C-alpha cells in the first residue's frame, strides 16, 4: 500500500450509522494516508464498537466539547505534513487525494487546495427547511468548503487552531483567518470529490433558529468578517512583521498590541511568542486578537522567544516590541519614509522615553542608570525597524544572554559592516520601568549598576569576535545537491527549525543547472559551488574538509529531518560519551508525482539504512576510517560503514525515526540503478577477499 504524508481527521459524535461509509471512502482512495485519526467527542452510541473493525485507526475519546475541540486534539496528535478533514456523516469520492496531491506537485507555492462538493439530501422533506435552502444555495458559489481541502499542516502553526467558541461556521472562520494571515485560499479543483450528507441530525439543522444560532452564523460565514478581512488584509504578504516576546505580561500586553494596531499601517502581521507564561496571556490573545500569530514555548528566555518570532516572520521588515512597552502613533510611517529616502539603510532607530510605573522607582540605582542612558543611547533595538536580511547576515539573538542581548546584537551588526547610525530623534517608543522588568529582577543576568557598566561596547565587541570568529559549531550538516531545487528549501527548513541552533549547514552544489545554489544562499547557509561535476562521494568529502563541527551529519536535498532529531542524537552521546556513532531509523514516503508508478518499492515500516539523516558521527571517526571512496558512485556510504565496523568504531542504534526519505522520479538510486548493482558487486568482492 502506497502511503503519503497525509493525516485524515474525523471528528464524530453519535454517528455510528454513518461513520463506516466515511472511513471506507478513505480506504478507497488510490493515494492512501499515513494515518486516520478519529476523535470521538463523547458518543453514547456504538461508534467505538464499529471502529474495532479498523485496527489501524488512531482513536481518541473525550468528553463532549464540540467539533472544534475534537479537530484540535487530532491536529495535535497528527504526524502528517498534510491534513485533510472528513466529517463522520460525509464521504469522499475516489480520486480525491490523488487529484489534490497532483495539484500540490504542480503548484509548489500552494498551501491549501479545495475541491468541489455536493450536498446530498437524506430525506426529501428537508428541502422545505430554510437552513437547507441556505446550504443548497451556498453549494453553487462557495468554493472554500474546508472539509473538502487538503492542507499543509504548517498552515495551522501560522493561523492557529479551530475556534472553540463557535458552534457552527468554525471551518469558515478559520478559512477567513488563513486569508488574513496571507495564505492564498484560491487554489481550487472544480470536480466534486466530497459528498456532504444533510440529514435530520446535522448539527447545522438541529440548532434552533434562535439568537444563539443566528449569532453563530453571524460570527462565521458571515459577511462582516469576510468584509473586514478583504478590506484590511486582502491576503497580501505582510510588509512588516512586529514581534512581541512575552512572559507573564497579561496586565500590559493589550496596551502593547493596541499601540501596534493604532499605527493603521497595512499590510502588517503581529507575532506574539509566549515564553512559558503561567498567567492568562493566551486567553487574552485568542479572545481579543484571533488574527495574531501566537506561539507558545517552554520558558527559554527573551532571546529564544525573539528568534522564534523572526523564524516565523513573513515581512520584509522586522520590528521588535516588548510586551510591557508601547509605541506612539506614526512610528512605522516615519521609519518607512526614512527607508524610502535612504535606500542604503538596513536599520533605523527612533528616540524613546522611559516611563516610571511608580514614582518611588526613582530611588533604584538601576532605574537611575536607565534614565541616564535614555539621554545618550540612540540605539535601543526595540525602537528599530530592521530589514529582515540583516538577521540572515549577522544571525539571531544570543540565547546565552538574558539581558543586554539586544546590545550584543547591535554590536554584531557593526562587526559585520551594518551601519547603525540611521536615527529619528522623535520619541516614538515608551519603555515602561516597573517592579517586574527583567533588567531589574534577573538573577542570571545583570544584578547591579556596576555590572551594567561592565557591558561596554569594547567588552561586548571582544566577546563577539571571540564567539563568532573562533567558536566551532557543535554539528556540521553536509548536503550534496545536484539540480535539487524542487525539494531543497523543504530540506533546509527541516534543519533550520531544529531546536539545536548551534550547527552549521554546508550545501555542496555539484554543478547544478537549476536554482539549487541560489535557494541555499537565500537560506543563509554556507554554499560550496563546484566548478566541475564530482558525484555524491566527492561532494561529501569536500563538505567534510570544510566542516568545523564536533559532530557530522549528512542529509539529502530531497529528504526531511524530523523535528527534535538532533537532540535525540546528542542525548545518546551525553549519556554514553564513549559512543562514536549513533544510528536511527528512516521512513519512506512517496512524492505525489509517483502515484502512477507501480515499479517503486515502498517499505511500509521504518528501517535502519544509510547515513543521510539517520546518523550523527563524531568528527574524529573520519580521522580513523578516512573519507568516502570516490570511485564508488552509489554504494560509498555502505562501503564506509563496513570500514568503520572493521575498525570496531563504537556505535549505538536508537529506535526513533529521524528522517522522512522521499521517493520520487529523480531519486539517485532510481536514476543510477546500473551503478547500484556494479558498486554493490564491487563491495562484495572486496569483502570476500578479506
Amino acid at each position: 500500500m502506497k502511503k503519503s504524508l497525509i493525516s485524515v481527521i474525523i471528528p464524530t459524535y453519535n454517528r455510528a450509522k454513518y461513520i463506516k461509509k466515511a472511513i471506507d471512502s478513505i480506504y478507497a482512495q488510490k493515494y492512501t494516508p499515513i494515518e486516520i485519526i478519529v476523535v470521538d467527542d463523547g458518543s453514547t452510541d456504538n461508534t467505538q464498537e464499529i471502529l474495532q473493525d479498523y485496527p489501524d485507526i488512531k482513536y481518541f475519546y473525550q468528553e463532549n466539547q464540540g467539533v472544534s475541540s475534537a479537530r484540535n486534539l487530532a491536529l495535535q496528535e497528527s504526524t502528517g505534513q498534510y491534513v485533510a478533514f472528513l466529517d463522520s456523516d460525509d464521504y469522499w469520492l475516489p480520486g480525491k487525494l490523488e487529484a489534490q496531491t497532483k495539484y500540490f506537485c504542480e503548484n509548489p507555492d500552494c498551501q491549501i487546495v479545495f475541491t468541489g462538493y455536493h450536498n446530498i439530501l437524506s430525506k426529501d422533506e428537508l428541502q422545505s427547511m430554510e437552513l437547507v435552502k441556505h446550504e443548497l444555495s451556498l453549494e453553487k458559489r462557495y468554493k472554500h468548503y474546508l472539509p473538502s481541502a487538503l492542507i499543509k499542516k504548517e498552515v495551522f502553526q501560522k493561523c492557529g487552531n479551530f475556534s472553540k467558541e463557535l458552534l457552527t461556521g468554525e471551518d469558515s472562520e478559520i478559512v477567513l483567518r488563513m486569508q488574513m494571515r496571507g495564505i492564498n485560499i484560491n487554489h481550487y479543483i472544480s470536480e466534486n470529490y466530497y459528498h456532504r450528507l444533510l440529514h435530520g441530525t446535522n448539527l447545522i439543522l438541529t440548532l434552533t433558529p434562535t439568537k444563539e444560532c443566528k449569532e453563530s452564523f453571524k460570527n462565521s460565514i458571515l459577511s462582516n468578517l469576510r468584509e473586514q478581512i478583504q478590506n484590511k488584509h486582502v491576503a497580501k504578504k505582510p510588509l512588516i512583521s512586529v514581534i512581541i516576546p512575552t512572559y507573564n505580561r497579561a496586565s500590559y500586553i493589550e496596551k502593547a498590541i493596541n499601540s501596534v494596531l493604532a499605527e493603521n499601517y497595512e499590510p502588517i502581521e503581529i507575532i506574539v511568542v509566549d515564553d512559558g507564561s503561567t498567567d492568562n496571556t493566551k486567553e487574552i490573545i485568542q479572545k481579543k486578537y484571533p488574527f495574531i500569530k501566537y506561539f507558545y514555548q517552554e520558558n527559554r528566555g527573551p532571546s529564544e522567544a525573539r528568534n522564534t518570532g523572526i523564524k516565523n516572520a513573513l515581512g520584509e521588515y522586522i520590528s521588535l516590541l516588548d510586551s510591557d512597552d508601547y509605541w506612539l502613533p506614526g512610528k512605522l510611517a516615519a521609519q518607512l519614509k526614512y527607508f524610502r529616502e535612504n535606500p542604503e539603510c538596513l536599520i533605523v532607530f527612533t528616540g524613546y522615553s522611559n516611563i516610571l510605573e511608580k514614582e518611588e522607582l526613582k530611588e533604584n540605582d538601576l532605574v537611575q542608570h536607565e534614565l541616564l542612558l535614555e539621554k545618550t543611547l540612540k540605539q535601543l533595538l526595540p525602537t528599530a525597524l530592521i530589514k529582515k536580511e540583516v538577521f540572515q547576515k549577522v544571525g539571531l539573538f544570543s540565547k546565552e544572554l538574558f539581558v543586554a542581548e539586544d546590545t550584543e546584537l547591535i554590536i554584531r551588526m557593526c562587526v559585520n559592516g551594518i551601519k547603525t547610525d540611521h536615527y529619528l530623534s522623535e520619541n516614538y517608543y515608551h519603555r515602561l520601568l516597573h517592579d517586574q522588568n527583567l533588567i531589574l529582577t534577573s538573577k542570571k543576568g545583570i544584578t547591579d549598576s556596576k555590572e551594567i557598566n561592565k557591558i561596554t561596547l569594547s567588552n561586548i565587541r571582544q566577546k563577539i569576535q571571540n564567539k563568532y570568529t573562533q567558536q566551532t559549531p557543535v554539528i556540521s550538516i553536509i548536503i550534496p545537491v545536484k539540480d535539487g531545487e524542487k525539494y531543497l528549501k523543504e530540506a533546509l527548513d527541516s534543519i533550520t527549525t531544529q531546536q539545536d541552533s548551534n550547527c552549521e549547514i554546508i550545501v555542496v552544489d555539484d554543478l547544478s543547472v537549476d536554482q539549487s545554489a541560489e535557494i541555499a544562499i537565500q537560506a543563509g547557509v554556507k554554499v560550496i559551488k563546484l566548478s566541475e561535476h564530482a558525484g555524491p562521494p566527492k561532494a561529501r568529502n569536500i563538505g567534510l574538509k570544510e566542516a568545523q563541527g564536533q559532530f557530522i551529519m549528512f542529509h539529502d536535498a530531497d529528504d526531511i529531518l524530523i523535528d527534535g532529531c538532533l537532540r535525540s542524537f546528542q542525548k545518546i552521546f551525553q549519556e554514553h560519551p564513549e559512543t562514536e556513532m549513533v544510528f536511527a531509523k528512516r521512513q519512506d514516503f512517496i512524492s505525489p508525482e509517483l502515484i502512477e508508478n507501480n515499479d517503486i518499492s515502498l517499505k511500509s515500516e521504518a528501517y535502519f539504512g544509510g547515513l543521510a539523516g539517520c546518523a550523527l558521527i563524531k568528527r574524529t571517526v573520519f580521522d580513523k576510517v578516512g573519507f568516502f571512496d570516490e570511485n564508488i558512485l552509489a554504494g560509498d556510504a555502505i562501503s564506509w560503514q563496513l570500514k568503520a565496523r572493521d575498525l570496531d568504531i563504537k556505535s549505538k542504534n536508537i529506535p526513533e525515526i529521524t528522517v522522512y526519505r522521499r521517493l520520487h522520479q529523480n531519486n539517485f538510486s532510481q536514476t543510477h540503478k546500473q551503478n547500484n548493482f556494479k558498486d554493490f558487486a564491487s563491495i562484495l568482492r572486496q569483502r570476500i577477499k578479506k
Side-chain angles (χ1 to χ4, degrees):
M1 180 185 296
K2 293 180 178 179
K3 290 187 176 182
S4 68
L5 292 180
I6 296 174
S7 298
V8 179
I9 292 171
I10 304 178
T12 189
Y13 174 70
N14 287 344
R15 290 290 184 264
K17 180 179 177 180
Y18 305 105
I19 196 168
K20 188 177 189 304
K21 187 170 185 177
I23 294 172
D24 288 344
S25 75
I26 301 172
Y27 282 112
Q29 299 292 311
K30 189 171 184 179
Y31 198 43
T32 53
I34 196 171
E35 63 187 0
I36 301 173
I37 303 174
V38 174
V39 179
D40 188 341
D41 190 39
S43 294
T44 56
D45 60 8
N46 62 327
T47 294
Q48 188 170 0
E49 180 182 339
I50 290 173
L51 292 177
Q52 290 176 359
D53 292 337
Y54 303 95
D56 294 337
I57 285 178
K58 290 184 178 179
Y59 174 80
F60 298 91
Y61 181 89
Q62 64 179 24
E63 295 299 322
N64 184 254
Q65 300 172 45
V67 65
S68 292
S69 175
R71 284 177 176 152
N72 291 343
L73 173 60
L75 278 170
Q76 178 182 327
E77 298 293 336
S78 63
T79 61
Q81 288 197 307
Y82 297 83
V83 176
F85 297 98
L86 175 60
D87 289 348
S88 56
D89 47 358
D90 300 337
Y91 57 93
W92 291 344
L93 297 185
K96 176 182 184 290
L97 293 184
E98 181 181 358
Q100 290 177 301
T101 51
K102 181 181 178 183
Y103 189 97
F104 269 108
C105 182
E106 295 172 350
N107 299 272
D109 294 336
C110 175
Q111 292 179 287
I112 178 171
V113 57
F114 300 86
T115 74
Y117 72 100
H118 186 52
N119 284 313
I120 307 295
L121 295 182
S122 179
K123 294 181 180 180
D124 290 340
E125 58 265 27
L126 289 176
Q127 292 186 15
S128 63
M129 292 183 63
E130 289 300 317
L131 287 176
V132 170
K133 289 180 180 179
H134 176 78
E135 295 303 307
L136 292 174
S137 67
L138 275 180
E139 178 189 319
K140 303 186 187 311
R141 55 190 172 85
Y142 188 46
K143 295 182 177 182
H144 302 131
Y145 183 58
L146 190 68
S148 77
L150 185 62
I151 313 163
K152 284 187 177 180
K153 190 178 178 181
E154 65 189 44
V155 167
F156 294 96
Q157 296 169 346
K158 295 178 181 178
C159 303
N161 290 345
F162 290 89
S163 174
K164 293 186 288 186
E165 289 75 21
L166 292 178
L167 296 176
T168 63
E170 75 292 331
D171 47 0
S172 298
E173 187 270 344
I174 202 169
V175 170
L176 295 174
R177 207 181 329 140
M178 291 176 188
Q179 187 178 3
M180 188 192 306
R181 299 270 35 97
I183 305 298
N184 186 347
I185 64 170
N186 294 317
H187 295 279
Y188 174 70
I189 299 171
S190 60
E191 289 84 355
N192 288 344
Y193 283 112
Y194 194 101
H195 274 189
R196 178 173 180 247
L197 189 65
L198 298 182
H199 53 85
T201 56
N202 279 117
L203 179 61
I204 198 167
L205 304 184
T206 54
L207 282 172
T208 56
T210 60
K211 180 180 178 182
E212 179 184 44
C213 180
K214 292 176 181 177
E215 285 301 312
S216 184
F217 272 104
K218 184 180 177 182
N219 292 327
S220 55
I221 303 177
L222 320 183
S223 53
N224 286 351
L225 183 55
R226 182 182 295 279
E227 183 178 354
Q228 176 189 348
I229 291 169
Q230 288 177 340
N231 290 343
K232 188 173 183 180
H233 297 274
V234 204
K236 292 180 181 178
K237 180 180 178 181
L239 178 65
I240 301 171
S241 297
V242 180
I243 296 167
I244 305 177
T246 188
Y247 175 70
N248 287 344
R249 292 290 185 264
S251 58
Y252 302 104
I253 196 167
E254 288 186 58
K255 188 169 186 177
I257 293 172
N258 290 338
S259 75
V260 179
L261 297 176
E263 290 295 302
N264 197 27
Y265 194 90
E266 302 294 345
I268 192 172
E269 70 172 351
I270 303 175
I271 301 173
V272 171
V273 183
D274 188 340
D275 191 40
S277 293
T278 56
D279 59 9
N280 62 328
T281 295
K282 182 177 182 179
E283 289 75 13
I284 290 173
I285 300 300
Q286 292 182 338
K287 183 177 180 180
K288 296 191 175 183
Y289 309 100
F291 51 87
I292 282 179
K293 276 187 180 178
Y294 175 80
F295 297 90
Y296 181 90
Q297 63 186 29
E298 295 300 319
N299 183 254
R300 300 200 294 268
S303 291
E304 290 214 48
R306 285 172 172 159
N307 291 345
T308 297
I310 294 168
K311 290 176 184 177
N312 287 281
L314 298 176
E316 179 184 345
Y317 297 88
I318 301 291
S319 190
L320 304 162
L321 172 62
D322 289 346
S323 57
D324 47 359
D325 301 337
Y326 56 95
W327 293 345
L328 297 185
K331 176 182 184 291
L332 293 183
Q335 290 177 302
L336 286 169
K337 181 174 183 280
Y338 188 95
F339 271 110
R340 287 193 298 270
E341 295 172 350
N342 300 272
E344 79 286 357
C345 174
L346 294 176
I347 178 171
V348 58
F349 300 86
T350 76
Y352 72 99
S353 295
N354 284 310
I355 306 297
L356 297 184
E357 186 178 53
K358 297 177 181 179
E359 190 66 23
E360 55 265 31
L361 282 175
K362 281 185 177 179
E363 305 302 320
N364 187 302
D365 288 341
L366 288 176
V367 170
Q368 287 293 326
H369 180 84
E370 293 303 309
L371 293 173
L372 179 64
L373 276 181
E374 179 189 320
K375 303 184 187 312
T376 57
L377 182 62
K378 294 183 177 181
Q379 296 159 327
L380 184 71
L381 194 64
T383 73
L385 186 62
I386 313 163
K387 284 194 174 179
K388 191 177 181 181
E389 65 189 70
V390 169
F391 296 99
Q392 296 168 348
K393 292 182 179 180
V394 307
L396 302 180
F397 287 90
S398 174
K399 58 186 179 182
E400 289 80 16
L401 293 176
F402 282 78
V403 293
E405 75 287 342
D406 46 0
T407 305
E408 187 263 358
L409 184 64
I410 291 172
I411 302 302
R412 206 184 328 146
M413 291 178 190
C414 296
V415 170
N416 284 274
I418 306 294
K419 287 189 175 181
T420 61
D421 55 354
H422 294 280
Y423 173 71
L424 299 173
S425 59
E426 292 86 350
N427 287 349
Y428 283 111
Y429 194 100
H430 276 187
R431 180 169 177 254
L432 188 65
L433 299 182
H434 53 87
D435 291 336
Q436 298 302 312
N437 277 120
L438 182 61
I439 199 165
L440 305 185
T441 59
S442 175
K443 295 180 180 179
K444 293 184 178 180
I446 303 169
T447 55
D448 57 44
S449 57
K450 291 182 180 180
E451 287 299 311
I452 287 182
N453 290 327
K454 288 181 182 178
I455 300 187
T456 60
L457 295 187
S458 58
N459 286 347
I460 294 179
R461 181 174 285 111
Q462 185 64 47
K463 178 176 181 179
I464 291 169
Q465 290 173 343
N466 291 340
K467 180 176 180 181
Y468 294 95
T469 62
Q470 297 177 12
Q471 185 191 43
T472 57
V474 174
I475 300 172
S476 296
I477 301 178
I478 299 168
I479 307 176
V481 62
K482 176 73 170 73
D483 297 333
E485 65 177 4
K486 191 170 186 179
Y487 307 114
L488 180 58
K489 184 179 184 303
E490 193 172 4
L492 291 172
D493 287 345
S494 73
I495 301 172
T496 57
T497 54
Q498 297 285 323
Q499 292 297 325
D500 192 328
S501 60
N502 194 6
C503 65
E504 66 172 353
I505 305 171
I506 303 173
V507 172
V508 183
D509 182 43
D510 193 12
L511 208 64
S512 295
V513 296
D514 64 5
Q515 298 295 309
S516 295
E518 287 73 13
I519 290 170
I521 291 169
Q522 189 175 9
V525 304
K526 185 173 185 178
V527 180
I528 302 172
K529 298 181 72 171
L530 304 185
S531 58
E532 58 182 24
H533 179 58
K538 188 172 183 179
R540 291 192 188 100
N541 289 342
I542 291 170
L544 276 168
K545 292 173 184 177
E546 293 291 327
Q548 301 295 313
Q550 304 165 37
F551 296 88
I552 302 295
M553 172 180 274
F554 299 99
H555 187 50
D556 286 345
D558 48 5
D559 294 344
I560 303 168
L561 277 188
I562 292 177
D563 188 39
C565 71
L566 297 183
R567 286 181 296 173
S568 297
F569 280 125
Q570 290 183 290
K571 182 180 178 183
I572 299 300
F573 282 108
Q574 292 167 358
E575 294 174 350
H576 306 278
E578 75 284 358
T579 301
E580 297 176 274
M581 301 188 298
V582 177
F583 293 91
K585 292 183 176 182
R586 65 184 178 188
Q587 174 75 62
D588 289 350
F589 74 97
I590 293 180
S591 214
E593 67 267 23
L594 285 188
I595 294 173
E596 299 296 337
N597 192 335
N598 295 319
D599 296 330
I600 299 300
S601 175
L602 175 67
K603 297 181 180 179
S604 59
E605 301 295 330
Y607 61 97
F608 290 101
L611 293 178
C614 297
L616 190 64
I617 306 167
K618 284 185 177 178
R619 180 65 177 80
T620 53
V621 171
F622 293 92
D623 298 331
K624 301 176 184 179
V625 180
F627 284 11
F628 295 96
D629 189 338
E630 296 176 5
N631 296 314
I632 301 177
L633 190 60
D636 58 307
I638 294 176
S639 175
W640 187 90
Q641 286 178 263
L642 291 172
K643 289 180 185 178
R645 184 183 299 175
D646 291 341
L647 292 172
D648 197 27
I649 301 297
K650 296 179 177 60
S651 65
K652 285 190 178 295
N653 292 344
I654 58 175
E656 284 92 341
I657 299 171
T658 57
V659 66
Y660 286 130
R661 177 175 176 255
R662 185 191 304 269
L663 299 183
H664 58 94
Q665 57 190 1
N666 293 319
N667 278 112
F668 190 82
S669 59
Q670 296 295 322
T671 57
H672 291 73
K673 287 184 178 179
Q674 188 174 356
N675 291 104
N676 291 348
F677 293 119
K678 179 182 175 182
D679 289 348
F680 294 152
S682 173
I683 294 169
L684 182 59
R685 283 195 298 271
Q686 293 177 15
R687 302 301 295 177
I688 292 173
K689 288 180 182 179
K690 290 186 178 181

